[in-house]
Amino acid sequence: MKIAVYPGSFDPITNGHLDIIKRGTKIFDKVIVAILVNVDKKGLFSVEERKELILKATKDIEGIEVIDFDGLLVDLLKEKEINVILKGLRNSTDFEYENTMDKINKKLNKDVETIFMISESEKSYISSSAVKQICRFGGEIDGMVPDSIKDDIEKKMRCK
Ligand code: COA
């Protein structure tokens, strides 16, 4: 069985993430969407809330599992006995960052491989921070987040 871990903060999940998840399930038998901690970021949604949003947004997609993990990505992979990471690339900035992350993960475990998918161009401007910022100041996040969770995000950000 071909399994990949799709890691991220998902604070919150966006249509950009959803695009990678959907395309990932066409290549892998199973995609494990893993909510991990990025120590450089102060989260807004709790891990439980992020998980609920991901589950709601992906309820019609087969072949995925949603988990959270507090630790190194390589340790999660070891625990699950998986050595493939799935990631999206939006632009050259992502490439620079992911290039380093790949090397760090390989230093920690040389058997880990990351498969990159280029984001659809109309989704390459989306980020979780942009969604939060637009929403906080009352802007329209239509098309940036899955329709099924747009209300939940707006409620949390108090713009409704
Ligand atoms: N479409 C749209 N947006 C996307 C996207 C896509 N395909 N892929 C990523 N993004 C956005 C994310 O929402 C995020 O937005 P934000 O910065 O506004 O929050 C941004 O691009 C960066 O995403 P990503 O590079 O995936 O970072 P992340 O913070 O979501 O996740 C972890 C990073 C959690 C996977 C990483 O820190 C990690 O592995 N942590 C565990 C500890 C560890 O092992 N560290 C490695 C050793 S240093």
Side-chain angles (χ1 to χ4, degrees), residues 48-61:
E48 261 326 299
E49 286 171 330
R50 295 179 206 189
K51 203 169 184 177
E52 275 170 29
L53 291 174
I54 298 171
L55 286 170
K56 203 167 170 183
T58 58
K59 70 175 180 10
D60 296 328
I61 306 172

Side-chain angles (χ1 to χ4, degrees), residues 6-21 23 34-41 69-75 85 87-90 94 97-98 101 104-105 108 117-120 123-132 144:
Y6 180 46
S9 302
F10 303 110
D11 186 36
I13 185 171
T14 68
N15 276 339
H17 297 126
L18 200 60
D19 167 48
I20 303 296
I21 293 170
R23 287 160 57 198
I35 306 162
L36 284 119
V37 177
N38 183 337
V39 291
D40 298 327
K41 291 179 183 171
F69 187 78
D70 190 7
L72 289 173
L73 177 55
V74 288
D75 288 338
I85 301 168
K87 288 241 69 176
L89 285 181
R90 292 167 299 172
D94 277 358
Y97 174 76
E98 295 299 346
M101 290 304 285
I104 292 172
N105 286 324
L108 297 170
M117 282 185 174
I118 304 289
S119 295
E120 278 182 0
K123 302 203 172 68
S124 61
Y125 70 95
I126 303 173
S127 71
S128 301
S129 308
V131 166
K132 287 181 278 192
M144 296 178 78

Side-chain angles (χ1 to χ4, degrees), residues 100-140:
T100 305
M101 290 304 285
D102 178 58
K103 290 181 172 75
I104 292 172
N105 286 324
K106 276 213 172 62
K107 189 208 172 291
L108 297 170
N109 180 348
K110 64 177 174 43
D111 296 326
V112 166
E113 288 295 346
T114 306
I115 304 297
F116 294 102
M117 282 185 174
I118 304 289
S119 295
E120 278 182 0
S121 51
E122 69 273 19
K123 302 203 172 68
S124 61
Y125 70 95
I126 303 173
S127 71
S128 301
S129 308
V131 166
K132 287 181 278 192
Q133 195 160 157
I134 293 169
C135 202
R136 170 153 294 149
F137 294 113
E140 186 48 70

